[in-house]
Amino acid sequence: PFDLHPEYPPDGMLRAELVARYGEGYDRRTREMFAAEGLVYAPPADVVPNTRLALELGEQARSEGLHRAYHDRVMDAYWAEGADLSQRPALESLARGVGVGDAGIGAALDDRIWSQTVDVSTARAQAAGATGVPAFVIDWRLLVVGPQPGEVSHRAAETEVGVVGHVVLVGRHESALEPPVGVGQVVHQGEVVAVGGRGEHRGLEDVFPGVIA
């Protein structure tokens, strides 16, 4: 799990604030990618949720062997159905819908038993240079940040790495990132950018100053 925006208010950020900050076309690229794949793009019209509790509840689902089902349902609910994932009733309903038990839901949302797990995983992802979701670490040598067209990911894996030993996805699907060394290259907006050798990764903010928020 990767908490991309811990600074968001508990009830999320008004989408109008993002428009004021980045302009009307801030989500144009995402909309175009959805359209190209024939997917519905209908996130909440007025708010960008704070997904911290959704991430913690996802770890409870993982502990019950239900993470993939929970993840897929939550993603569909947000992107295609406009669900506000800041709101506890929505999260409870989504989790119950895939079989997460009430005791586990309470442990995650009331007792916050997975809070430290999300903190540690987020710190590891940030240390590796992840500044967006999803983020793929390929063979501990390549970091692919943010939504990318399929051909970009394939090119990154095949051209830059060659034989891929393993892939870790930070943020949305799999477990905490635990790289033995820093990754050495970054893919951002379809471009592969060298940013240092193994153990010397500096992070996207050094490569794209003023671009990565």
Side-chain angles (χ1 to χ4, degrees), residues 26-106:
Y26 78 95
D27 61 348
R28 175 185 55 80
R29 183 166 175 267
T30 303
R31 289 179 178 274
E32 290 175 349
M33 291 177 64
F34 270 64
E37 297 296 330
L39 300 173
V40 175
Y41 182 85
D46 299 325
V47 66
V48 180
N50 182 320
T51 58
R52 174 63 188 228
L53 291 180
L55 292 173
E56 294 183 24
L57 187 52
E59 293 309 291
Q60 179 61 37
R62 190 192 308 279
S63 75
E64 298 183 27
L66 296 167
H67 184 263
R68 176 51 64 96
Y70 170 85
H71 161 268
D72 290 350
R73 181 67 192 101
V74 167
M75 292 291 279
D76 285 343
Y78 174 74
W79 289 108
E81 302 167 19
D84 183 352
L85 302 181
S86 301
Q87 303 306 311
R88 176 166 176 158
L91 293 176
E92 291 179 346
S93 176
L94 292 168
R96 289 193 184 102
V98 298
V100 179
D102 285 346
I105 292 173

Side-chain angles (χ1 to χ4, degrees), residues 170-182:
V170 180
R172 297 300 189 195
H173 285 282
E174 304 303 336
S175 58
L177 173 66
E178 299 184 24
V181 293

